[in-house]
Amino acid sequence: MTRNNEQKWSIPQSVNEIENYMKQRVGLGISFDLGVRKLKVLKNDVHIYYCNGLCDTRFIIELIEELVELNDHEKHSADLYKLVYNRLVNQSVSPVETLEDLVTFVLSGQIVVVIDGVGTALVVDVRSYPGRSPQEPDTEKVVRGARDGFVENIILNTALTRRRIRDERLRFEMIRVGERSKTDVAIGYLEDVADADLLNILRKELQAIAVDGIPMGDKTIEEFIVNQGWNPFPMVRYTERADVAAAHILEGHVIIYCDTSPSVIITPTTYFHHVQHAEEFRESPAMGTFVRWTRFVGIIASLILLPLWLLFVVEPSLLPKEIAFIGPNKHTHIPVVVQLILADLGIEFLRMAAIHTPTPLSTAMGLIAAVLIGQIAIDVGLFVPEVILYVAIAGIGTFTTPSYELGVANKIARIILMILVAFFHTPGFIIGCTLMFLFVVRLRVFNTPYFWPFLPFEPKGFLQILIRRAIPGSMLRPSIVRPRNRFRQPPGANRK
């Protein structure tokens, strides 16, 4: 064996040396799922290495039959490599020159064919990963629309995207991440639309990831490519819907696919990308705008309703007499801010319990929480009724937030605002809101202002945030992605 320029062991010509390497370094003969099939083809040794569970056995059997038939129909030839290459009836057959790549392909679910006396192996893609079929994501359901969503197989995910964008300029660049996991990560974009600088940044960031593995998939990738720190607000957007990913690619965004992850990362994104939902684009512009405004009201309520009500409680003089009925109308020995935080955390407990509770028991758990715990907590004086009401409204507003990450970030901001109001009253509310606004405005993701198009203000972009325009009227791609081709339609075409 010799070292090549890339410090990788080249494939030896002896199949016995390859077998010894696989036994010593990879665990052949110890790991039950690794195997080798030894054949004699025209009096030469041919070995086929595979990994059970990741390969389609039917294809392997067909390939072995093709190779065995060479003994009956072909005369001895000096170029056995070409004969074997032509007999491997598969759409994906490629040569490999190093042992490291050979091992990687075998452990990825492909089979590798090595021929005695030949220093080049042949990789055949017969992968058949275990997994589920595409189905509608639970967190992004729509009343009317596509029911197929991403799964844990990167091949299926890119295929779902390719099905929606049949353009020769659609690109999927594959990069392996993880010293041990060697996880497949792909960058999806339109070659003539996506920003070249953003693509270069993402390539460098992904190639610079130095870690043994990324078992948590796309979330681990996010932590490497985005310097988020303790910032609770989401810096990238996740989606499990293939139509949402395709729509963003057409706008000029870059999508990051990670094998074993059923969601993809959309870059770059702003705060307002996290408050949009596919349902708005499956309805008419008027209905879509109504749904969007309703969602905005819910998101705003989830953020400032509780701190604002607490401010009226601690500063009754600020409350107009016309709405004095909002309470609290009952005396309690427990500070209202403590009640609000306990009730808010209680809803979070319920959310966690719902995730970990089997589906047949989730209904019973909801009844217990709503009827027994809620009502009894009021009867014994732990909470005043108004606390339960407003916490419930804020909780519903959190659930109306399309982005789970943004909903949790708003909950954290809400608790901080309540604490500031409890200690500093009106100045605490004003200063807290101001600091939170300045914090969000200063954020940048891949050199993209997080609060665009509000700051920096862009009238057209801001109008598209407020109103769901009809697709024929959306001629330009968002400027925030810096597209190389700004026109989604020829100027003047289909304009309405």
Side-chain angles (χ1 to χ4, degrees):
M1 300 181 194
T2 59
R3 282 280 192 177
N4 61 14
N5 294 332
E6 297 180 353
Q7 300 297 314
K8 291 185 178 181
W9 292 104
S10 59
I11 295 178
Q13 295 189 357
S14 171
V15 293
N16 293 326
E17 290 186 48
I18 298 175
E19 185 178 4
N20 291 334
Y21 179 88
M22 295 292 288
K23 288 180 178 179
Q24 295 172 8
R25 298 291 298 274
V26 190
L28 181 66
I30 298 177
S31 298
F32 74 93
D33 58 339
L34 293 176
V36 56
R37 181 69 165 89
K38 301 179 181 179
L39 304 174
K40 276 285 187 181
V41 178
L42 298 177
K43 299 181 181 181
N44 289 77
D45 290 323
V46 176
H47 291 182
I48 302 176
Y49 292 95
Y50 58 88
C51 183
N52 282 318
L54 301 179
C55 303
D56 192 319
T57 305
R58 295 171 299 171
F59 290 156
I60 299 177
I61 294 174
E62 292 177 4
L63 295 176
I64 292 176
E65 291 176 349
E66 290 290 335
L67 295 179
V68 171
E69 286 182 0
L70 284 173
N71 295 319
D72 299 330
H73 303 290
E74 298 286 347
K75 297 181 180 179
H76 180 71
S77 172
D79 199 349
L80 181 60
Y81 176 83
K82 286 187 177 180
L83 288 175
V84 172
Y85 182 88
N86 292 331
R87 281 285 182 165
L88 295 176
V89 286
N90 191 281
Q91 79 278 7
S92 179
V93 180
S94 57
V96 61
E97 304 288 344
T98 65
L99 282 172
E100 285 82 357
D101 291 338
L102 183 152
V103 171
T104 299
F105 284 123
V106 171
L107 298 180
S108 297
Q110 304 176 76
I111 65 171
V112 178
V113 181
V114 296
I115 305 169
D116 194 36
V118 179
T120 301
L122 293 172
V123 178
V124 187
D125 193 348
V126 294
R127 285 176 288 189
S128 179
Y129 290 159
R132 57 192 175 94
S133 59
Q135 56 189 1
E136 185 177 19
D138 290 334
T139 57
E140 297 180 84
K141 291 185 177 181
V142 293
V143 176
R144 183 177 293 106
R147 306 298 177 185
D148 57 342
F150 291 133
V151 293
E152 291 76 10
N153 189 327
I154 191 173
I155 304 299
L156 287 178
N157 292 345
T158 54
L160 288 173
T161 308
R162 179 78 70 174
R163 182 182 180 188
R164 288 169 167 82
I165 307 176
R166 302 176 183 180
D167 185 38
E168 68 275 10
R169 290 155 293 193
L170 177 62
R171 300 288 183 265
F172 294 110
E173 294 185 18
M174 187 72 76
I175 300 173
R176 282 200 177 91
V177 177
E179 183 66 25
R180 296 181 184 273
S181 66
K182 296 181 175 64
T183 306
D184 292 328
V185 177
I187 303 175
Y189 61 94
L190 284 175
E191 187 179 34
D192 63 328
V193 176
D195 180 30
D197 293 335
L198 175 61
L199 289 172
N200 291 331
I201 292 174
L202 290 176
R203 291 190 191 103
K204 291 178 181 178
E205 292 289 343
L206 291 174
Q207 292 170 354
I209 295 177
V211 68
D212 55 354
I214 50 173
M216 294 303 169
D218 47 11
K219 186 59 183 177
T220 305
I221 292 175
E222 179 201 345
E223 294 180 358
F224 273 101
I225 66 177
V226 178
N227 186 19
Q228 184 161 358
W230 289 96
N231 167 32
F233 290 96
M235 308 299 281
V236 298
R237 181 184 177 185
Y238 291 93
T239 184
E240 296 184 36
R241 294 190 63 89
D243 51 0
V244 172
H248 281 82
I249 289 178
L250 292 173
E251 286 185 352
H253 294 263
V254 179
I255 310 296
I256 300 177
Y257 299 79
C258 181
D259 196 28
T260 73
S261 294
S263 56
V264 299
I265 298 174
I266 302 174
T267 60
T269 53
T270 67
Y271 181 91
F272 296 101
H273 280 102
H274 297 278
V275 299
Q276 296 180 1
H277 192 272
E279 184 69 33
E280 301 165 7
F281 299 91
R282 292 287 184 176
E283 305 291 348
S284 65
M287 292 181 61
T289 301
F290 173 76
V291 171
R292 180 174 296 183
W293 287 0
T294 305
R295 183 172 290 112
F296 286 166
V297 171
I299 295 173
I300 294 173
S302 71
L303 184 59
I304 67 170
L305 176 63
L306 295 185
L308 187 60
W309 182 73
L310 178 61
L311 178 62
F312 290 148
V313 172
V314 297
E315 293 280 358
S317 60
L318 298 176
L319 186 64
K321 294 181 179 180
E322 291 79 6
I323 56 173
F325 61 87
I326 67 174
N329 298 315
K330 182 179 179 182
H331 179 70
T332 176
H333 297 285
I334 301 176
V336 175
V337 64
V338 176
Q339 297 183 38
L340 290 173
I341 293 177
L342 288 177
D344 211 3
L345 292 177
I347 291 183
E348 193 68 14
F349 293 160
L350 291 177
R351 183 193 64 81
M352 294 180 180
I355 294 175
H356 304 302
T357 302
T359 302
L361 301 178
S362 59
T363 303
M365 184 204 68
L367 291 174
I368 292 173
V371 178
L372 298 182
I373 299 178
Q375 186 59 44
I376 292 177
I378 295 175
D379 293 341
V380 300
L382 180 61
F383 299 136
V384 296
E386 291 85 356
V387 166
I388 299 296
L389 171 64
Y390 297 124
V391 168
I393 295 175
I396 294 174
T398 299
F399 294 140
T400 62
T401 308
S403 169
Y404 167 75
E405 292 83 5
L406 181 60
V408 176
N410 287 341
K411 180 185 286 286
I412 295 174
R414 179 172 73 222
I415 293 176
I416 294 175
L417 282 177
M418 287 192 295
I419 295 175
L420 291 175
V421 169
F423 280 99
F424 305 106
H425 297 187
T426 302
F429 180 80
I430 296 175
I431 294 174
C433 291
T434 303
L435 290 178
M436 183 178 64
F437 179 75
L438 293 176
F439 175 78
V440 174
V441 168
R442 287 174 58 87
L443 292 177
R444 298 182 70 88
V445 187
F446 299 114
N447 297 323
T448 301
Y450 192 61
F451 223 52
W452 181 93
F454 188 76
L455 285 175
F457 185 71
E458 182 179 329
K460 291 183 178 179
F462 189 67
L463 185 63
Q464 288 188 347
I465 294 296
L466 292 180
I467 300 176
R468 205 289 260 182
R469 295 188 63 185
I471 298 301
S474 303
M475 296 180 57
L476 300 177
R477 293 184 171 90
S479 61
I480 195 65
V481 298
R482 296 180 289 275
R484 283 183 275 183
N485 180 2
R486 287 212 62 190
F487 290 97
R488 302 189 63 178
Q489 307 168 26
N494 300 322
R495 194 169 184 176
K496 295 182 182 180

